[in-house]
Amino acid sequence: IYYFYRKCISSEGYLTFTLPVSTDTHIVSKCLNGAVWQLFTYLLLILSIFLLFPMDELGRVLRIIQYVLFSRISLDLTVPMIFLSLTLVTQFFAGPLMFYASMAVGQMVTRHKVLTSIGLYIGLYMVISLLSSFGFSFLILGSEILSGGDIQTTLTIYSIATFALALAETVLFYFLTWFFLGRKLNLS
């Protein structure tokens, strides 16, 4: 995040944007960098969980989860798992892009650019959380009613909607970042 701020928003932004490289290339390279760091962070988190808990306890918990999911309820989780995996990959890009969009819009003010960016990030996060909470509540309720309580259909609809939301967030944040860095750059 600091790297993006320093290279694109602060005074070094003049040098960055004088290079013969498009705004898209700047955003994609910074986004790939952020996604890779986020992936490493999650891998370290998973590794620390495995190191923190004894393997026999963790194995017992995983066997209980497997028993509950597959022996008591016969579910085909292929489609939901595909869409949830796509959601995970999309979120690796949406996360950094949300920071970048907040900074790109925040640089439009003349004073307190960092404070404005932080406020925009918090506001974006709250609005997206609120909309997704209400939207998914109605979605799950509606899919329960339409499917007659079939959990398979509900899981499939939920996973597809989750992916659609993550993709929409990624596109929105990318467009905001591209628009404000490419068209409205204000590096005073």
Side-chain angles (χ1 to χ4, degrees), residues 52-105:
L52 184 64
F53 295 107
M55 288 307 247
D56 57 336
E57 291 293 322
L58 195 59
R60 188 164 46 98
V61 169
L62 291 175
R63 282 192 299 277
I64 290 171
I65 291 171
Q66 181 182 10
Y67 174 75
V68 169
L69 283 180
F70 296 113
S71 67
R72 294 184 164 224
I73 304 169
S74 61
L75 294 176
D76 179 23
L77 297 176
T78 307
V79 174
M81 290 308 288
I82 288 172
F83 277 102
L84 289 177
S85 299
L86 289 172
T87 302
L88 181 67
V89 171
T90 306
Q91 284 296 338
F92 278 124
F93 296 100
L97 280 171
M98 187 171 172
F99 283 111
Y100 302 159
S102 300
M103 285 188 267
V105 175

Side-chain angles (χ1 to χ4, degrees), residues 85-134:
S85 299
L86 289 172
T87 302
L88 181 67
V89 171
T90 306
Q91 284 296 338
F92 278 124
F93 296 100
L97 280 171
M98 187 171 172
F99 283 111
Y100 302 159
S102 300
M103 285 188 267
V105 175
Q107 59 90 26
M108 293 302 298
V109 299
T110 54
R111 297 179 57 198
H112 307 294
K113 293 180 181 194
V114 174
L115 187 61
T116 304
S117 297
I118 292 170
L120 284 169
Y121 178 81
I122 292 170
L124 273 174
Y125 189 83
M126 289 173 55
V127 166
I128 287 173
S129 296
L130 186 68
L131 290 176
S132 63
S133 294
F134 282 124

Side-chain angles (χ1 to χ4, degrees), residues 33-62:
N33 187 16
V36 168
W37 277 106
Q38 197 170 15
L39 176 67
F40 284 145
T41 303
Y42 285 127
L43 290 176
L44 284 174
L45 175 72
I46 291 169
L47 178 66
S48 66
I49 289 172
F50 281 121
L51 293 175
L52 184 64
F53 295 107
M55 288 307 247
D56 57 336
E57 291 293 322
L58 195 59
R60 188 164 46 98
V61 169
L62 291 175

